[in-house]
């Protein structure tokens, strides 16, 4: 045999791309970019996914419904997570094909008592969400998104807040120090140049013109007057709000060849979007029930009612199984899961953190990741050789351009995904996702080829 036959060689995706796929990459990327601009929070993403699913004939599921092969249903978890399913021909005892990804992304959350005035300007106190490099969030335009549950004499009214996303809207900013006065700051460690407590969001300057003699904080008052006029809220209503600041820029093409997309929130919408679109695109009834499970709270450990560790998924599967008289444990045991999350793309600007043979490369396709974790594979599910073999066979059989990935050099750092929580349920699980440059930055970069291959790969998996 020749070395070509005997060696495993990580080729560029472009060497393997068929003309059929080549023409599909750019149009698919346009849909994804529009999704990113709409879906900057998990709530926004869920609302958009419901719209997309209903347009494809999916119905809201409730546990009294009888399910039949070919049925298309979705179930929302508190507006922050969603499961989409196409019921398959086989019994649930034969297992499901599950793609699990997350909809939350690192951002700057607004606190419960956030509003104050200092130096003649009004600010929000914040608490960052997820693993960010804090300095990257200074001096960039931010927009405000979320909900406020306004409590008024026993009545609760939920209002949506989107400020900064429409043309002509104002935006917000967390200011940084000028270099001229930054000699102390510049000599500090990067983790200390701005403290979490100092990530305060600039809101306003102009004082209220009210005659209120007792009020000392006229700028703060002007902000509350605005918010009351706009949303009917008082300062106390911040206690029942989920507001966050997210980057105010939209997704755009990067490079002369437009081969990349730069945007906020690729992690993990670059996996959750294709996991959903591949499911919505299933024309025929698949053999096994196919499900895209898109959850919240991955960036802070998958805890909570909307995270992967919540019983939401178990309850939904139990409801599906009960209708068929199948114990859910039997369904889990025969299921397969792609834990769809991003990995780092090899970055020639920072080669020292990568190991070239094993790290994924931008443009080499969907990355299959046997294990993540840190310090000797801690905090990972480490997929079995048998499962890796099945996935290789599925992807190769459908001409999916794929590669293997990992999370950098051994002992360089590491990280986890939702994979272990699914694997702990006795579901055969392996990570697969799109390689990302500048992961967790307010502006991340991915390759369109990899995005499209994620869509194609998840489709092949659902049909397997
Ligand atoms: Mn992720
Ligand atoms: Mn992440």
């Amino acid at each position: 045999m020749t070395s070509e036959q005997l060696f495993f060689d990580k080729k560029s995706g472009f060497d393997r791309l068929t003309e059929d796929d080549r023409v599909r990459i750019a149009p698919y990327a346009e849909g994804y970019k529009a999704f990113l601009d709409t879906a900057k929070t998990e709530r926004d993403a869920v609302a958009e996914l419901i719209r997309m699913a209903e347009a494809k004939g999916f119905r809201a599921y409730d546990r009294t419904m009888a399910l039949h092969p070919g049925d298309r249903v979705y179930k929302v978890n508190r507006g922050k997570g969603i499961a989409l399913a196409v019921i398959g021909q086989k019994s649930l005892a034969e297992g499901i094909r599950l793609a699990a990804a997350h909809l939350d992304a690192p951002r700057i959350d607004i606190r419960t008592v956030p509003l104050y005035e200092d130096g003649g300007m009004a600010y929000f106190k914040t608490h960052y969400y997820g693993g960010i490099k804090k300095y990257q969030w200074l001096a960039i335009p931010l927009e405000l998104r979320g909900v406020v549950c306004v409590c008024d004499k026993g009545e609760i009214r939920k209002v949506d807040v989107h400020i900064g996303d429409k043309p002509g809207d104002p935006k917000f900013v967390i200011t940084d120090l000028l270099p001229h006065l930054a000699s102390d700051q510049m000599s500090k460690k990067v983790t200390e140049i701005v403290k979490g407590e100092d990530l305060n969001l600039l809101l306003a300057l102009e004082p209220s013109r009210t005659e209120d003699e007792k009020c000392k904080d006229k700028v703060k008052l002007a902000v509350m007057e605005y918010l009351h006029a706009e949303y009917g809220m008082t300062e106390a209503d911040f206690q029942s709000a989920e507001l966050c600041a997210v980057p105010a820029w939209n997704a755009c093409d990067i490079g002369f060849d437009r081969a990349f997309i730069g945007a906020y929130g690729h992690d993990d919408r670059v996996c959750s979007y294709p996991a959903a679109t591949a499911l919505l695109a299933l024309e025929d009834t698949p053999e096994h029930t196919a499900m895209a499970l898109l959850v919240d709270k991955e960036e802070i450990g998958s805890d909570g009612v909307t995270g992967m560790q919540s019983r939401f998924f178990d309850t939904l599967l139990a409801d599906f199984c009960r209708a068929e008289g199948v114990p859910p444990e039997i369904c889990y045991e025969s299921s397969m899961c792609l834990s769809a999350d991003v990995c780092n793309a090899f970055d020639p600007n920072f080669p020292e953190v990568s190991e070239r043979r094993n790290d994924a490369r931008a443009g080499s396709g969907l990355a299959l990741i046997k294990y993540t974790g840190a310090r000797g594979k801690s905090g990972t599910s480490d997929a079995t050789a048998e499962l890796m073999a099945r996935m290789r066979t599925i992807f190769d059989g459908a001409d999916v351009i794929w590669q293997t990935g990992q999370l950098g050099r051994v002992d360089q750092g590491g990280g986890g995904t939702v994979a272990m929580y699914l694997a702990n349920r006795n579901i055969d699980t392996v990570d697969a996702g799109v390689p990302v440059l500048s992961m967790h930055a307010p502006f991340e970069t991915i390759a369109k080829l990899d995005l499209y291959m994620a869509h194609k790969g998840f489709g092949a998996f659902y049909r397997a």
Side-chain angles (χ1 to χ4, degrees):
M1 287 174 85
T2 64
S3 64
E4 200 180 335
Q5 290 166 312
L6 285 168
F7 288 1
F8 171 71
D9 192 9
K10 265 200 184 186
K11 294 196 190 80
S12 160
F14 294 100
D15 296 339
R16 295 176 276 164
L17 194 57
T18 63
E19 195 49 35
D20 243 22
D21 282 333
R22 186 189 301 277
V23 298
R24 291 198 171 100
I25 289 176
Y28 184 78
E30 290 309 304
Y32 173 58
K33 282 156 60 185
F35 177 79
L36 284 178
D37 296 344
T38 308
K40 288 190 182 178
T41 67
E42 65 280 355
R43 285 181 191 269
D44 290 339
V46 167
E48 185 59 14
L49 288 161
I50 293 172
R51 197 193 58 73
M52 288 162 59
E54 287 184 345
K56 287 281 192 176
F58 282 64
R59 298 172 297 151
Y61 171 75
D62 79 73
R63 61 175 55 94
T64 63
M65 281 165 63
L67 294 172
H68 309 285
D71 280 357
R72 296 157 161 252
V73 293
Y74 69 85
K75 171 94 177 169
V76 173
N77 183 4
R78 297 166 171 87
K80 303 179 66 157
I82 187 169
L84 302 144
V86 177
I87 307 304
Q89 298 164 26
K90 291 190 170 175
S91 158
L92 287 166
E94 309 277 321
I96 67 167
R97 298 291 175 260
L98 175 68
H102 67 96
L103 296 170
D104 60 320
R107 61 178 188 236
I108 307 289
D109 279 350
I110 310 305
R111 287 198 206 173
T112 33
V113 186
L115 182 60
Y116 71 100
E117 179 174 333
D118 196 359
M121 294 179 273
Y123 293 90
F124 275 158
K125 294 300 296 179
T126 70
H127 196 143
Y128 65 96
Y129 175 95
I132 62 167
K133 291 177 171 175
K134 298 183 193 80
Y135 72 88
Q136 293 181 328
W137 294 75
L138 306 181
I140 62 168
L142 298 168
E143 58 186 74
L144 211 56
R145 294 198 179 203
V147 296
V148 181
C149 293
V150 177
C151 298
D152 189 12
K153 300 184 197 83
E155 299 281 307
I156 297 172
R157 184 170 46 86
K158 188 161 92 177
V159 293
D160 274 304
V161 176
H162 284 76
I163 307 174
D165 60 326
K166 297 169 287 300
D169 267 11
K171 302 185 200 308
F172 304 89
V173 72
I174 300 169
T175 53
D176 196 2
L177 200 49
L178 60 168
H180 316 66
L181 298 180
S183 58
D184 287 351
Q185 185 197 40
M186 303 273 262
S187 61
K188 287 180 185 165
K189 277 172 42 181
V190 162
T191 47
E192 285 157 14
I193 61 174
V194 58
K195 299 238 163 61
E197 202 57 69
D198 298 332
L199 293 173
N200 302 315
L201 190 69
L202 180 61
L203 302 174
L205 174 66
E206 194 173 331
S208 166
R209 283 189 245 169
T210 173
E211 302 282 300
D212 192 340
E213 296 282 303
K214 276 187 287 179
C215 179
K216 297 243 172 9
D217 295 336
K218 287 279 172 58
V219 184
K220 173 179 169 177
L221 181 59
V223 171
M224 276 323 308
E225 285 168 347
Y226 172 81
L227 291 175
H228 188 262
E230 202 72 12
Y231 305 107
M233 66 179 285
T234 67
E235 190 180 4
D237 292 316
F238 284 119
Q239 297 167 107
S240 47
E242 278 182 338
L243 294 172
C244 63
V246 292
W249 44 61
N250 283 344
C252 63
D253 290 346
I254 296 282
F256 290 119
D257 56 4
R258 299 175 176 269
F260 299 100
I261 300 171
Y264 163 66
H266 282 313
D267 177 9
D268 187 31
R269 289 152 206 160
V270 75
C271 297
S272 42
Y273 179 78
T277 58
L279 190 90
L280 302 186
L282 288 176
E283 302 268 302
D284 307 320
T285 303
E287 277 192 42
H288 296 88
T289 293
M291 183 184 286
L293 176 66
L294 308 175
V295 297
D296 179 28
K297 293 284 178 276
E298 193 279 339
E299 296 296 355
I300 56 169
S302 297
D303 290 297
V305 280
T306 54
M308 189 58 243
Q309 299 199 67
S310 152
R311 297 296 291 269
F312 167 79
F313 169 65
D314 305 270
T315 307
L316 179 64
L317 241 281
D319 287 339
F320 279 20
C321 284
R322 192 178 308 114
E324 239 194 74
V326 171
E329 300 76 32
I330 305 292
C331 176
Y332 286 164
E333 186 180 75
S334 329
S335 291
M336 266 202 295
C337 172
L338 277 182
S339 161
D341 206 344
V342 298
C343 63
N344 64 305
F346 172 73
D347 188 339
N349 283 344
F350 304 98
E352 64 281 3
V353 304
S354 280
E355 188 272 296
R356 284 172 190 260
R357 287 174 198 83
N358 283 282
D359 275 30
R361 287 188 222 155
S364 290
L366 177 65
L368 191 60
I369 303 150
K370 188 173 183 296
Y371 52 85
T372 58
R375 298 174 308 282
K377 293 189 176 181
S378 288
T380 180
S381 53
D382 202 355
T384 62
E386 290 84 348
L387 182 62
M388 290 294 284
R390 288 186 77 181
M391 290 300 172
R392 286 176 62 189
T393 310
I394 291 167
F395 291 157
D396 285 342
D399 290 323
V400 176
I401 296 177
W402 67 278
Q403 57 181 326
T404 51
Q406 61 171 14
L407 223 54
R409 287 180 79 85
V410 175
D411 287 340
Q412 183 65 43
T417 66
V418 299
M420 56 182 168
Y421 306 116
L422 289 146
N424 291 347
R425 289 169 158 101
N426 199 23
I427 299 173
D428 262 319
T429 303
V430 60
D431 279 299
V434 172
V436 178
L437 293 159
S438 325
M439 193 201 297
H440 281 206
F443 191 75
E444 305 173 311
T445 298
I446 60 103
K448 290 180 183 176
L449 183 150
D450 303 336
L451 165 73
Y452 179 72
M453 286 300 154
H455 169 80
K456 194 174 180 186
F458 296 140
F461 168 71
Y462 291 137
R463 283 188 290 269

